[in-house]
Amino acid sequence: MKKFFENKKAVIISGILIVLIIAAAVFLIQNGIKKSNDKPSDASQSENIDKSDNAAKDEKTADNKDTTKQEEKDDTQNKGALKEGESLEGLVNDFNTLPEGEEKEKVRKRLEEILAAAEAQSPANSAN
Protein backbone atom coordinates (compact mmCIF):
# COMPACT_ATOMS: atom_id res chain seq x y z
CA MET A 1 0.00 0.00 0.00
CA LYS A 2 2.90 2.36 0.73
CA LYS A 3 4.15 1.89 -2.82
CA PHE A 4 0.71 2.91 -4.16
CA PHE A 5 0.74 6.21 -2.27
CA GLU A 6 4.31 6.88 -3.33
CA ASN A 7 3.19 6.97 -6.94
CA LYS A 8 1.54 10.43 -7.14
CA LYS A 9 -0.01 9.87 -10.60
CA ALA A 10 -1.87 6.77 -9.43
CA VAL A 11 -3.24 8.60 -6.39
CA ILE A 12 -4.46 11.54 -8.50
CA ILE A 13 -6.08 9.30 -11.14
CA SER A 14 -7.77 7.22 -8.42
CA GLY A 15 -9.12 10.36 -6.75
CA ILE A 16 -10.50 11.67 -10.05
CA LEU A 17 -12.15 8.33 -10.81
CA ILE A 18 -13.78 8.23 -7.37
CA VAL A 19 -15.13 11.77 -7.83
CA LEU A 20 -16.49 10.87 -11.29
CA ILE A 21 -18.19 7.73 -9.98
CA ILE A 22 -19.81 9.69 -7.14
CA ALA A 23 -20.96 12.40 -9.58
CA ALA A 24 -22.45 9.78 -11.93
CA ALA A 25 -24.25 8.09 -9.02
CA VAL A 26 -25.71 11.42 -7.85
CA PHE A 27 -26.80 12.25 -11.39
CA LEU A 28 -28.54 8.88 -11.85
CA ILE A 29 -30.25 9.13 -8.46
CA GLN A 30 -31.53 12.64 -9.24
CA ASN A 31 -32.90 11.52 -12.61
CA GLY A 32 -34.61 8.55 -10.94
CA ILE A 33 -36.24 10.84 -8.38
CA LYS A 34 -37.28 13.31 -11.06
CA LYS A 35 -38.86 10.54 -13.17
CA SER A 36 -40.73 9.11 -10.20
CA ASN A 37 -42.10 12.59 -9.40
CA ASP A 38 -43.23 13.03 -13.01
CA LYS A 39 -45.43 9.93 -12.89
CA PRO A 40 -49.02 10.79 -11.94
CA SER A 41 -50.39 9.27 -8.78
CA ASP A 42 -53.04 6.54 -8.88
CA ALA A 43 -55.78 9.06 -8.05
CA SER A 44 -54.81 11.38 -10.89
CA GLN A 45 -54.51 8.39 -13.25
CA SER A 46 -58.11 7.42 -12.54
CA GLU A 47 -59.16 11.03 -13.10
CA ASN A 48 -57.33 11.00 -16.42
CA ILE A 49 -59.04 7.74 -17.38
CA ASP A 50 -62.44 9.22 -16.49
CA LYS A 51 -61.69 12.34 -18.51
CA SER A 52 -60.55 10.28 -21.49
CA ASP A 53 -63.70 8.14 -21.25
CA ASN A 54 -65.87 11.26 -21.26
CA ALA A 55 -63.91 12.66 -24.18
CA ALA A 56 -64.35 9.39 -26.05
CA LYS A 57 -68.13 9.47 -25.44
CA ASP A 58 -68.31 13.07 -26.62
CA GLU A 59 -66.27 12.16 -29.69
CA LYS A 60 -68.58 9.23 -30.47
CA THR A 61 -71.60 11.53 -30.24
CA ALA A 62 -69.93 14.02 -32.55
CA ASP A 63 -68.91 11.20 -34.91
CA ASN A 64 -72.50 9.93 -35.01
CA LYS A 65 -73.75 13.41 -35.93
CA ASP A 66 -71.03 13.75 -38.56
CA THR A 67 -71.83 10.28 -39.90
CA THR A 68 -75.50 11.14 -40.22
CA LYS A 69 -74.67 14.34 -42.08
CA GLN A 70 -72.17 12.48 -44.25
CA GLU A 71 -74.72 9.78 -45.07
CA GLU A 72 -77.18 12.47 -46.16
CA LYS A 73 -74.49 14.00 -48.38
CA ASP A 74 -73.56 10.59 -49.73
CA ASP A 75 -77.15 9.84 -50.68
CA THR A 76 -77.32 12.98 -52.77
CA GLN A 77 -73.85 12.47 -54.22
CA ASN A 78 -74.12 8.73 -54.80
CA LYS A 79 -75.57 9.45 -58.20
CA GLY A 80 -72.01 10.07 -59.41
CA ALA A 81 -70.34 7.25 -57.50
CA LEU A 82 -68.90 4.29 -59.36
CA LYS A 83 -71.22 1.34 -59.56
CA GLU A 84 -70.23 -2.24 -58.91
CA GLY A 85 -68.10 -3.64 -61.73
CA GLU A 86 -67.45 -0.15 -63.08
CA SER A 87 -64.02 1.45 -63.12
CA LEU A 88 -62.99 4.97 -63.95
CA GLU A 89 -60.17 3.68 -66.11
CA GLY A 90 -62.57 1.46 -68.04
CA LEU A 91 -64.98 4.35 -68.62
CA VAL A 92 -62.18 6.59 -69.85
CA ASN A 93 -60.92 3.86 -72.18
CA ASP A 94 -64.46 3.34 -73.50
CA PHE A 95 -64.84 7.06 -74.08
CA ASN A 96 -61.55 7.23 -75.94
CA THR A 97 -62.20 4.17 -78.12
CA LEU A 98 -65.90 4.48 -78.93
CA PRO A 99 -66.87 6.17 -82.16
CA GLU A 100 -68.92 9.35 -82.03
CA GLY A 101 -72.52 8.59 -81.25
CA GLU A 102 -75.13 7.84 -78.62
CA GLU A 103 -73.03 5.28 -76.72
CA LYS A 104 -70.08 7.66 -76.39
CA GLU A 105 -72.45 10.40 -75.20
CA LYS A 106 -73.76 8.09 -72.41
CA VAL A 107 -70.19 7.36 -71.28
CA ARG A 108 -69.36 11.08 -71.37
CA LYS A 109 -72.38 11.91 -69.18
CA ARG A 110 -71.46 9.14 -66.76
CA LEU A 111 -67.88 10.45 -66.49
CA GLU A 112 -69.21 13.97 -65.86
CA GLU A 113 -71.45 12.64 -63.04
CA ILE A 114 -68.52 10.86 -61.41
CA LEU A 115 -66.24 13.88 -61.68
CA ALA A 116 -68.93 16.23 -60.33
CA ALA A 117 -69.48 13.92 -57.34
CA ALA A 118 -65.73 13.73 -56.71
CA GLU A 119 -65.43 17.50 -56.90
CA ALA A 120 -68.33 17.93 -54.47
CA GLN A 121 -66.63 15.55 -52.02
CA SER A 122 -63.22 17.19 -52.24
CA PRO A 123 -61.95 18.93 -49.06
CA ALA A 124 -61.65 22.27 -50.85
CA ASN A 125 -65.37 22.29 -51.63
CA SER A 126 -66.55 20.84 -48.31
CA ALA A 127 -65.09 23.85 -46.45
CA ASN A 128 -67.34 26.22 -48.39
Side-chain angles (χ1 to χ4, degrees), residues 4 12 17 30 58 62 110-111:
F4 179 77
I12 293 172
L17 286 175
Q30 285 179 342
D58 293 342
R110 181 70 184 124
L111 285 170

Side-chain angles (χ1 to χ4, degrees), residues 39-95:
K39 292 181 181 175
S41 65
D42 290 339
S44 64
Q45 283 181 347
S46 64
E47 288 174 10
N48 288 341
I49 291 170
D50 291 341
K51 288 178 183 177
S52 66
D53 287 345
N54 289 339
K57 288 178 186 175
D58 293 342
E59 191 174 307
K60 278 186 178 180
T61 305
D63 285 345
N64 286 341
K65 289 178 184 176
D66 290 344
T67 303
T68 305
K69 290 179 183 177
Q70 186 62 33
E71 286 173 355
E72 290 172 2
K73 273 187 178 179
D74 289 346
D75 289 342
T76 59
Q77 295 172 350
N78 252 355
K79 295 176 187 173
L82 287 172
K83 297 175 184 169
E84 191 174 326
E86 189 177 50
S87 74
L88 189 59
E89 185 177 348
L91 288 171
V92 170
N93 286 339
D94 289 346
F95 181 78

